[in-house]
Amino acid sequence: MYPTVAEVLKLPVLRHGRPHVVAGASGLDAGVRWVHVAEVADIAHLLKGGELVLTTGIALPDDDDALTKYIGELAAVGVAGLVVELLRHWSDELPAALLDAADEHGIPLVTLSRETRFVTVTESVNGLIVDAQVDELRAAEQVHQTFTTLTVSGAEPDAVLREVARMTEQPVVLETLSHEVLAYDAAGTDPSELLSGWLTRSRAIQLGERTGYHAGAGWLVTIVGARGHDWGRLVVVCAEPPPHRHVVVAERAASALAVHRLVAKDSDSLERQAHRAVLTELLASPVPSAELLARSSALAVPLTGRRLVGVAVRPKMTVSTQPALSTPPLLRAFAEAASLAARRARVSLLVSTIDDTGVRALVSLSPEANAESVLQRLATDIHEARPGSACVIAAGTIVDGPADARRTLVEAAQVAAAALQGNVDRVFHRLDDVRLPGLLQLLAHDERLEAFAARELGPLLVRDATTGSRLVQALRHYCEQGGNKSAAAAAAHISRTAYYQQLARIEQILGVHLEDPASMLSLYVALLAHDVQN
């Protein structure tokens, strides 16, 4: 906010005096808070720090010890610099003791070889300072208006971070208190470089205040939280100490993020949103990018050099569970249950809802880990966490590395969809467990399978649609009971006479004999194929 000593020396009123920095050049970047004319040696106790002191030197002593003491007292109160006019006391050069003391304390010592109107210097510099303060106030008002608008509009964290990056022109990262990256804006820099080794770097940065700058790391850090509950940190990466305006931006952004979390109680947590973004890109990217791998690692889920296994959780929406909890909250509850189970098992896990059908997860295991044991524990904990909400949990094939992450994620979802149609209760399902339904689930989008189901069941589907009959369901009971008509009638909850009549109509419409094993097999496969496609 304040001009530096170097900037002040460039003003025309001082350039007229032919300024020359004779000592303490290392302090030229010090900010000038005010300009003070002082013609007495005992001036330090009247100063507050940040002043540029102007003097003719007429009242300064010639004794080396006294001059050293004079500079030491000025340094102790934090003056920005000392300007001495070489006309009245000293005409050619300043005493060596004065120069040595200025160099020792890093106080810029400047001489003027021509007579200079100090009052004009004071007016010019102090006017510059006042203008800078006004500009700072205007900028602060703009920051206030911007983040108030974002807060009132319920802006998502990505929008808040984008504004921080725009205002500071620096990368910004939002992380949890356990140092997992929730969101970021690289401000045009390389994201993979920004996030590389984030967990290790972040854990080393601990500040004792809510907002502070760590010079070693080049991080401006502010705590994010509200109502006594802190949950994250906002980090602005800046190599140089930030101006006050950037500190205000960071603090206002932290407030906006805290309010968003309080308001967005019925939506996914920021952690789940960050996990969902990575999982979605893994599903869409045949070859994960370096940035994606860095983002996952910054979420404490490394993918490189690990064994990966996809997991899918699908709720069983029964009559007893549906009214109690609608689908989105139920899925969020399962996602949080999976996350808690992973923390208890000390397993790295990406987990979130991807769509309205279920929860997706990617488990990251060390090469030495027992995958079956880990999956058994995770699945058991998820079931126990939601005892009133039945679900199906499925796992894909264990793969080596991120290149095959998409395959195991897709396979887990397909196995879960197939297991949902079956009646076998397992802690978790694998492809081997779902057998034919699992194979059909893998082929769900194959046009040939769709054509087969339409060819086998088409006339029956049309009859049900036009007349309201339930012949497809009757056929399903027949196939599921292995051709046992009495058992099928009981499963359909109708009399055997009425059920036999339905079977006769099915045979007439489809032109087949249901007692023929090949016909029953084809029709049952067609029913399963129709289920996975609808």
Side-chain angles (χ1 to χ4, degrees):
M1 180 170 69
Y2 298 113
T4 65
V5 175
E7 291 170 341
V8 168
L9 294 179
K10 293 178 182 179
L11 292 175
V13 66
L14 274 169
R15 289 174 60 188
H16 171 77
R18 296 178 183 174
H20 179 54
V21 180
V22 295
S26 60
L28 287 173
D29 289 334
V32 177
R33 187 183 61 81
W34 205 247
V35 173
H36 195 88
V37 179
E39 295 297 357
V40 294
D42 185 21
I43 188 62
H45 69 284
L46 299 176
L47 304 178
K48 294 182 178 179
E51 294 90 353
L52 180 64
V53 178
L54 308 180
T55 181
T56 63
I58 194 170
L60 296 183
D62 291 311
D63 177 70
D64 287 352
D65 290 340
L67 289 175
T68 300
K69 178 182 178 184
Y70 172 67
I71 292 294
E73 290 175 346
L74 293 181
V77 296
V79 299
L82 175 64
V83 178
V84 182
E85 187 182 73
L86 293 178
L87 291 174
R88 291 170 175 80
H89 190 165
W90 297 291
S91 58
D92 295 325
E93 60 183 17
L94 298 177
L98 202 62
L99 274 62
D100 292 342
D103 276 329
E104 179 183 351
H105 293 287
I107 295 180
L109 181 57
V110 182
T111 60
L112 300 175
S113 59
R114 294 176 61 180
E115 186 175 28
T116 304
R117 293 173 61 88
F118 282 176
V119 65
T120 306
V121 174
T122 302
E123 289 175 349
S124 298
V125 178
N126 290 348
L128 186 65
I129 294 171
V130 170
D131 289 344
Q133 290 174 331
V134 171
D135 289 341
E136 191 75 14
L137 289 173
R138 288 172 178 166
E141 178 62 22
Q142 182 182 5
V143 170
H144 171 75
Q145 292 177 353
T146 298
F147 285 103
T148 297
T149 300
L150 289 172
T151 301
V152 172
S153 65
E156 294 293 327
D158 285 346
V160 176
L161 266 59
R162 186 163 54 249
E163 198 61 38
V164 174
R166 185 187 70 81
M167 288 184 166
T168 64
E169 298 182 339
Q170 302 290 348
V172 57
V173 176
L174 175 63
E175 64 172 12
T176 66
L177 292 180
S178 56
H179 312 290
E180 298 172 7
V181 175
L182 299 175
Y184 70 93
D185 191 304
T189 63
D190 183 0
S192 58
E193 182 178 342
L194 171 65
L195 300 178
S196 178
W198 182 268
L199 287 171
T200 302
R201 292 157 54 202
S202 180
R203 285 170 181 154
I205 308 303
Q206 299 295 331
L207 301 175
E209 49 193 335
R210 291 194 67 82
T211 300
Y213 179 71
H214 191 285
W219 284 12
L220 170 62
V221 181
T222 186
I223 300 296
V224 183
R227 297 181 179 176
H229 176 62
D230 296 331
W231 52 266
R233 302 199 308 178
L234 187 68
V235 179
V236 179
V237 182
C238 43
E240 300 295 330
H244 178 70
R245 181 174 66 258
H246 290 183
V247 176
V248 173
V249 169
E251 291 179 337
R252 287 307 311 271
S255 297
L257 292 166
V259 171
H260 175 272
R261 178 158 177 151
L262 289 174
V263 173
K265 292 180 179 179
D266 295 329
S267 61
D268 285 337
S269 66
L270 292 177
E271 183 180 6
R272 295 284 76 75
Q273 292 178 33
H275 283 216
R276 179 168 59 241
V278 174
L279 287 170
T280 300
E281 289 194 39
L282 283 173
L283 286 166
S285 306
V287 180
S289 65
E291 176 191 349
L292 185 60
L293 297 179
R295 285 165 55 192
S296 184
S297 180
L299 285 166
V301 187
L303 301 182
T304 304
R306 309 279 287 186
R307 300 169 69 209
L308 309 176
V309 55
V311 173
V313 182
R314 293 281 299 270
K316 291 183 177 179
M317 304 303 283
T318 64
V319 175
S320 60
T321 60
Q322 176 78 21
L325 200 59
S326 60
T327 302
L330 181 58
L331 294 182
R332 287 197 292 270
F334 276 123
E336 293 300 333
S339 178
L340 178 60
R343 287 196 294 271
R344 287 175 175 170
R346 297 185 178 180
V347 173
S348 298
L349 177 79
L350 291 169
V351 58
S352 183
T353 57
I354 300 297
D355 49 37
D356 291 337
T357 62
V359 173
R360 301 284 192 94
L362 184 65
V363 183
S364 174
L365 301 171
S366 66
E368 301 79 19
N370 186 326
E372 291 297 320
S373 175
V374 170
L375 290 172
Q376 184 77 18
R377 178 174 178 179
L378 289 177
T380 299
D381 284 356
I382 293 171
H383 285 299
E384 292 178 351
R386 304 295 307 173
S389 304
C391 69
V392 164
I393 301 176
T397 301
I398 300 171
V399 299
D400 296 319
D404 293 318
R406 181 181 183 278
R407 176 164 64 89
T408 186
L409 284 167
V410 170
E411 184 179 298
Q414 293 169 337
V415 171
L420 204 60
Q421 306 297 327
N423 297 317
V424 179
D425 287 330
R426 297 180 184 273
V427 176
F428 72 95
H429 298 261
R430 303 297 286 267
L431 186 58
D432 294 344
D433 300 325
V434 293
R435 307 180 71 182
L436 179 59
L439 174 63
L440 295 176
Q441 192 68 41
L442 292 173
L443 301 173
H445 301 293
D446 193 306
E447 294 181 355
R448 292 168 296 180
L449 184 64
E450 183 179 355
F452 169 75
R455 185 170 61 250
E456 292 289 319
L457 300 175
L460 210 59
L461 292 169
V462 172
R463 172 61 71 89
D464 279 359
T466 55
T467 66
S469 60
R470 298 174 57 83
L471 296 180
V472 171
Q473 189 62 28
L475 177 61
R476 186 186 305 279
H477 288 304
Y478 180 78
C479 294
E480 289 177 348
Q481 298 302 323
N484 186 322
K485 296 181 181 180
S486 298
H493 302 292
I494 60 175
S495 66
R496 283 184 291 179
T497 301
Y499 184 71
Y500 295 164
Q501 291 174 352
Q502 287 183 337
L503 294 180
R505 282 197 293 275
I506 291 171
E507 290 181 328
Q508 180 184 5
I509 293 170
L510 297 180
V512 298
H513 293 289
L514 293 179
E515 294 181 355
D516 175 25
S519 294
M520 186 176 72
L521 175 61
S522 293
L523 290 171
Y524 188 40
V525 171
L527 284 169
L528 294 176
H530 178 72
D531 290 341
V532 301
Q533 293 170 341
N534 294 276

Short mmCIF file of all heavy atoms in Angstrom, two decimals, residues 101-138:
data_model
loop_
_atom_site.label_atom_id
_atom_site.label_comp_id
_atom_site.label_asym_id
_atom_site.label_seq_id
_atom_site.Cartn_x
_atom_site.Cartn_y
_atom_site.Cartn_z
N ALA A 101 27.04 2.30 10.14
CA ALA A 101 25.86 1.97 10.96
C ALA A 101 24.65 1.75 10.06
O ALA A 101 23.83 0.85 10.32
CB ALA A 101 25.60 3.10 11.95
N ALA A 102 24.50 2.56 9.01
CA ALA A 102 23.37 2.40 8.09
C ALA A 102 23.45 1.06 7.38
O ALA A 102 22.43 0.37 7.20
CB ALA A 102 23.34 3.55 7.09
N ASP A 103 24.66 0.68 6.94
CA ASP A 103 24.82 -0.62 6.29
C ASP A 103 24.51 -1.76 7.25
O ASP A 103 23.88 -2.76 6.89
CB ASP A 103 26.26 -0.77 5.77
CG ASP A 103 26.46 -0.12 4.40
OD1 ASP A 103 25.48 -0.09 3.63
OD2 ASP A 103 27.58 0.35 4.12
N GLU A 104 24.96 -1.61 8.48
CA GLU A 104 24.74 -2.66 9.48
C GLU A 104 23.25 -2.90 9.73
O GLU A 104 22.79 -4.04 9.85
CB GLU A 104 25.44 -2.29 10.78
CG GLU A 104 25.24 -3.32 11.90
CD GLU A 104 25.89 -2.88 13.21
OE1 GLU A 104 26.64 -1.87 13.20
OE2 GLU A 104 25.63 -3.55 14.24
N HIS A 105 22.47 -1.83 9.80
CA HIS A 105 21.03 -1.95 10.12
C HIS A 105 20.15 -2.01 8.87
O HIS A 105 18.93 -2.19 9.00
CB HIS A 105 20.59 -0.76 10.98
CG HIS A 105 21.20 -0.75 12.34
ND1 HIS A 105 20.81 -1.61 13.34
CD2 HIS A 105 22.18 0.03 12.89
CE1 HIS A 105 21.52 -1.38 14.44
NE2 HIS A 105 22.36 -0.38 14.19
N GLY A 106 20.75 -1.87 7.69
CA GLY A 106 19.96 -1.96 6.46
C GLY A 106 19.04 -0.77 6.26
O GLY A 106 17.97 -0.90 5.63
N ILE A 107 19.43 0.39 6.77
CA ILE A 107 18.64 1.61 6.59
C ILE A 107 19.19 2.39 5.40
O ILE A 107 20.38 2.77 5.41
CB ILE A 107 18.69 2.50 7.85
CG1 ILE A 107 18.01 1.78 9.02
CG2 ILE A 107 17.99 3.83 7.60
CD1 ILE A 107 18.03 2.59 10.30
N PRO A 108 18.40 2.63 4.37
CA PRO A 108 18.89 3.41 3.24
C PRO A 108 19.33 4.80 3.69
O PRO A 108 18.56 5.54 4.31
CB PRO A 108 17.68 3.49 2.30
CG PRO A 108 16.84 2.31 2.67
CD PRO A 108 17.03 2.15 4.14
N LEU A 109 20.57 5.14 3.38
CA LEU A 109 21.13 6.44 3.71
C LEU A 109 21.38 7.17 2.39
O LEU A 109 22.18 6.70 1.56
CB LEU A 109 22.41 6.30 4.52
CG LEU A 109 23.11 7.59 4.96
CD1 LEU A 109 22.17 8.47 5.78
CD2 LEU A 109 24.36 7.26 5.76
N VAL A 110 20.69 8.31 2.19
CA VAL A 110 20.71 9.00 0.91
C VAL A 110 21.22 10.42 1.11
O VAL A 110 20.80 11.12 2.07
CB VAL A 110 19.29 9.03 0.28
CG1 VAL A 110 19.31 9.72 -1.07
CG2 VAL A 110 18.72 7.63 0.18
N THR A 111 22.10 10.87 0.22
CA THR A 111 22.57 12.25 0.28
C THR A 111 21.97 13.05 -0.87
O THR A 111 21.69 12.51 -1.94
CB THR A 111 24.10 12.31 0.17
OG1 THR A 111 24.52 11.73 -1.07
CG2 THR A 111 24.75 11.57 1.33
N LEU A 112 21.75 14.34 -0.62
CA LEU A 112 21.30 15.28 -1.64
C LEU A 112 22.39 16.33 -1.82
O LEU A 112 22.76 17.01 -0.85
CB LEU A 112 19.99 15.95 -1.22
CG LEU A 112 18.79 15.02 -0.97
CD1 LEU A 112 17.60 15.82 -0.45
CD2 LEU A 112 18.41 14.28 -2.24
N SER A 113 22.89 16.49 -3.03
CA SER A 113 24.01 17.42 -3.26
C SER A 113 23.53 18.81 -3.64
O SER A 113 24.35 19.72 -3.76
CB SER A 113 24.93 16.86 -4.35
OG SER A 113 24.20 16.66 -5.55
N ARG A 114 22.23 18.96 -3.86
CA ARG A 114 21.68 20.29 -4.16
C ARG A 114 20.61 20.64 -3.13
O ARG A 114 19.95 19.77 -2.57
CB ARG A 114 21.06 20.31 -5.56
CG ARG A 114 22.08 20.11 -6.68
CD ARG A 114 21.43 20.03 -8.03
NE ARG A 114 20.71 21.26 -8.37
CZ ARG A 114 20.04 21.45 -9.52
NH1 ARG A 114 20.00 20.48 -10.41
NH2 ARG A 114 19.43 22.59 -9.74
N GLU A 115 20.45 21.94 -2.88
CA GLU A 115 19.46 22.38 -1.92
C GLU A 115 18.06 21.96 -2.37
O GLU A 115 17.69 22.11 -3.54
CB GLU A 115 19.51 23.90 -1.77
CG GLU A 115 18.60 24.42 -0.65
CD GLU A 115 18.76 25.92 -0.42
OE1 GLU A 115 19.13 26.63 -1.40
OE2 GLU A 115 18.55 26.37 0.71
N THR A 116 17.32 21.40 -1.44
CA THR A 116 16.00 20.83 -1.76
C THR A 116 14.98 21.39 -0.79
O THR A 116 15.23 21.48 0.42
CB THR A 116 16.03 19.29 -1.65
OG1 THR A 116 17.07 18.79 -2.51
CG2 THR A 116 14.70 18.69 -2.06
N ARG A 117 13.81 21.75 -1.34
CA ARG A 117 12.73 22.26 -0.48
C ARG A 117 12.06 21.06 0.21
O ARG A 117 11.27 20.34 -0.41
CB ARG A 117 11.72 23.03 -1.32
CG ARG A 117 12.28 24.32 -1.91
CD ARG A 117 11.28 24.96 -2.86
NE ARG A 117 10.04 25.30 -2.18
CZ ARG A 117 9.81 26.46 -1.55
NH1 ARG A 117 10.77 27.38 -1.49
NH2 ARG A 117 8.65 26.70 -0.97
N PHE A 118 12.37 20.86 1.48
CA PHE A 118 11.84 19.71 2.21
C PHE A 118 10.31 19.76 2.30
O PHE A 118 9.64 18.72 2.32
CB PHE A 118 12.44 19.66 3.62
CG PHE A 118 13.84 19.09 3.65
CD1 PHE A 118 14.56 19.06 4.85
CD2 PHE A 118 14.44 18.60 2.50
CE1 PHE A 118 15.84 18.54 4.90
CE2 PHE A 118 15.72 18.08 2.54
CZ PHE A 118 16.43 18.06 3.73
N VAL A 119 9.74 20.95 2.37
CA VAL A 119 8.30 21.04 2.47
C VAL A 119 7.64 20.51 1.20
O VAL A 119 6.58 19.88 1.25
CB VAL A 119 7.87 22.51 2.75
CG1 VAL A 119 8.22 23.42 1.59
CG2 VAL A 119 6.37 22.57 3.03
N THR A 120 8.30 20.76 0.05
CA THR A 120 7.77 20.25 -1.21
C THR A 120 7.88 18.72 -1.25
O THR A 120 6.98 18.02 -1.74
CB THR A 120 8.51 20.86 -2.40
OG1 THR A 120 8.47 22.28 -2.30
CG2 THR A 120 7.88 20.44 -3.71
N VAL A 121 9.01 18.22 -0.74
CA VAL A 121 9.17 16.76 -0.67
C VAL A 121 8.08 16.16 0.20
O VAL A 121 7.45 15.15 -0.16
CB VAL A 121 10.57 16.41 -0.12
CG1 VAL A 121 10.67 14.89 0.10
CG2 VAL A 121 11.65 16.89 -1.05
N THR A 122 7.85 16.77 1.35
CA THR A 122 6.83 16.25 2.27
C THR A 122 5.45 16.25 1.61
O THR A 122 4.71 15.26 1.70
CB THR A 122 6.79 17.11 3.55
OG1 THR A 122 8.07 17.10 4.15
CG2 THR A 122 5.77 16.58 4.52
N GLU A 123 5.12 17.33 0.95
CA GLU A 123 3.82 17.41 0.29
C GLU A 123 3.68 16.33 -0.79
O GLU A 123 2.64 15.67 -0.90
CB GLU A 123 3.62 18.80 -0.32
CG GLU A 123 3.41 19.91 0.70
CD GLU A 123 3.35 21.28 0.04
OE1 GLU A 123 3.68 21.38 -1.17
OE2 GLU A 123 2.98 22.25 0.73
N SER A 124 4.71 16.19 -1.61
CA SER A 124 4.65 15.23 -2.73
C SER A 124 4.54 13.79 -2.24
O SER A 124 3.69 13.01 -2.68
CB SER A 124 5.88 15.39 -3.62
OG SER A 124 5.94 16.67 -4.19
N VAL A 125 5.41 13.43 -1.30
CA VAL A 125 5.43 12.04 -0.83
C VAL A 125 4.18 11.73 -0.02
O VAL A 125 3.54 10.68 -0.21
CB VAL A 125 6.70 11.76 0.00
CG1 VAL A 125 6.66 10.32 0.53
CG2 VAL A 125 7.93 11.98 -0.86
N ASN A 126 3.82 12.62 0.89
CA ASN A 126 2.63 12.35 1.70
C ASN A 126 1.38 12.33 0.85
O ASN A 126 0.44 11.57 1.10
CB ASN A 126 2.50 13.39 2.81
CG ASN A 126 3.58 13.23 3.86
OD1 ASN A 126 4.28 12.22 3.89
ND2 ASN A 126 3.73 14.21 4.75
N GLY A 127 1.35 13.16 -0.21
CA GLY A 127 0.23 13.11 -1.15
C GLY A 127 0.18 11.78 -1.87
O GLY A 127 -0.90 11.20 -2.08
N LEU A 128 1.35 11.27 -2.25
CA LEU A 128 1.43 9.96 -2.89
C LEU A 128 0.93 8.86 -1.96
O LEU A 128 0.21 7.93 -2.38
CB LEU A 128 2.88 9.69 -3.30
CG LEU A 128 3.17 8.43 -4.11
CD1 LEU A 128 2.50 8.48 -5.47
CD2 LEU A 128 4.67 8.23 -4.26
N ILE A 129 1.29 8.98 -0.69
CA ILE A 129 0.85 7.99 0.29
C ILE A 129 -0.66 8.04 0.48
O ILE A 129 -1.33 7.00 0.52
CB ILE A 129 1.57 8.22 1.64
CG1 ILE A 129 3.07 7.94 1.48
CG2 ILE A 129 0.98 7.35 2.74
CD1 ILE A 129 3.91 8.36 2.68
N VAL A 130 -1.21 9.25 0.58
CA VAL A 130 -2.65 9.39 0.75
C VAL A 130 -3.39 8.82 -0.47
O VAL A 130 -4.40 8.13 -0.34
CB VAL A 130 -3.03 10.86 0.98
CG1 VAL A 130 -4.54 11.04 0.91
CG2 VAL A 130 -2.50 11.34 2.32
N ASP A 131 -2.87 9.12 -1.67
CA ASP A 131 -3.49 8.57 -2.88
C ASP A 131 -3.46 7.05 -2.86
O ASP A 131 -4.44 6.40 -3.25
CB ASP A 131 -2.75 9.08 -4.11
CG ASP A 131 -3.01 10.57 -4.38
OD1 ASP A 131 -3.98 11.10 -3.80
OD2 ASP A 131 -2.24 11.17 -5.14
N ALA A 132 -2.35 6.49 -2.41
CA ALA A 132 -2.24 5.03 -2.34
C ALA A 132 -3.24 4.46 -1.34
O ALA A 132 -3.86 3.41 -1.56
CB ALA A 132 -0.82 4.62 -1.97
N GLN A 133 -3.42 5.16 -0.22
CA GLN A 133 -4.38 4.71 0.79
C GLN A 133 -5.81 4.77 0.25
O GLN A 133 -6.61 3.87 0.51
CB GLN A 133 -4.24 5.56 2.05
CG GLN A 133 -2.94 5.31 2.81
CD GLN A 133 -2.75 6.26 3.97
OE1 GLN A 133 -3.25 7.40 3.94
NE2 GLN A 133 -2.03 5.84 4.99
N VAL A 134 -6.11 5.81 -0.50
CA VAL A 134 -7.45 5.93 -1.10
C VAL A 134 -7.66 4.79 -2.11
O VAL A 134 -8.73 4.17 -2.15
CB VAL A 134 -7.61 7.30 -1.78
CG1 VAL A 134 -8.91 7.34 -2.61
CG2 VAL A 134 -7.62 8.41 -0.74
N ASP A 135 -6.63 4.54 -2.92
CA ASP A 135 -6.74 3.44 -3.88
C ASP A 135 -6.95 2.10 -3.16
O ASP A 135 -7.71 1.24 -3.61
CB ASP A 135 -5.48 3.36 -4.74
CG ASP A 135 -5.36 4.52 -5.72
OD1 ASP A 135 -6.41 5.17 -5.99
OD2 ASP A 135 -4.25 4.78 -6.21
N GLU A 136 -6.27 1.96 -2.03
CA GLU A 136 -6.41 0.72 -1.25
C GLU A 136 -7.83 0.58 -0.70
O GLU A 136 -8.41 -0.50 -0.70
CB GLU A 136 -5.39 0.72 -0.10
CG GLU A 136 -5.25 -0.62 0.61
CD GLU A 136 -4.47 -1.63 -0.22
OE1 GLU A 136 -3.82 -1.26 -1.20
OE2 GLU A 136 -4.54 -2.82 0.13
N LEU A 137 -8.39 1.69 -0.24
CA LEU A 137 -9.76 1.66 0.27
C LEU A 137 -10.74 1.33 -0.84
O LEU A 137 -11.70 0.57 -0.63
CB LEU A 137 -10.11 3.02 0.90
CG LEU A 137 -9.42 3.34 2.23
CD1 LEU A 137 -9.73 4.77 2.65
CD2 LEU A 137 -9.88 2.36 3.32
N ARG A 138 -10.52 1.91 -2.02
CA ARG A 138 -11.40 1.59 -3.15
C ARG A 138 -11.30 0.11 -3.53
O ARG A 138 -12.30 -0.53 -3.83
CB ARG A 138 -11.04 2.47 -4.34
CG ARG A 138 -11.45 3.94 -4.17
CD ARG A 138 -10.89 4.79 -5.30
NE ARG A 138 -11.32 6.19 -5.16
CZ ARG A 138 -10.77 7.18 -5.82
NH1 ARG A 138 -9.76 6.95 -6.68
NH2 ARG A 138 -11.21 8.42 -5.65
#
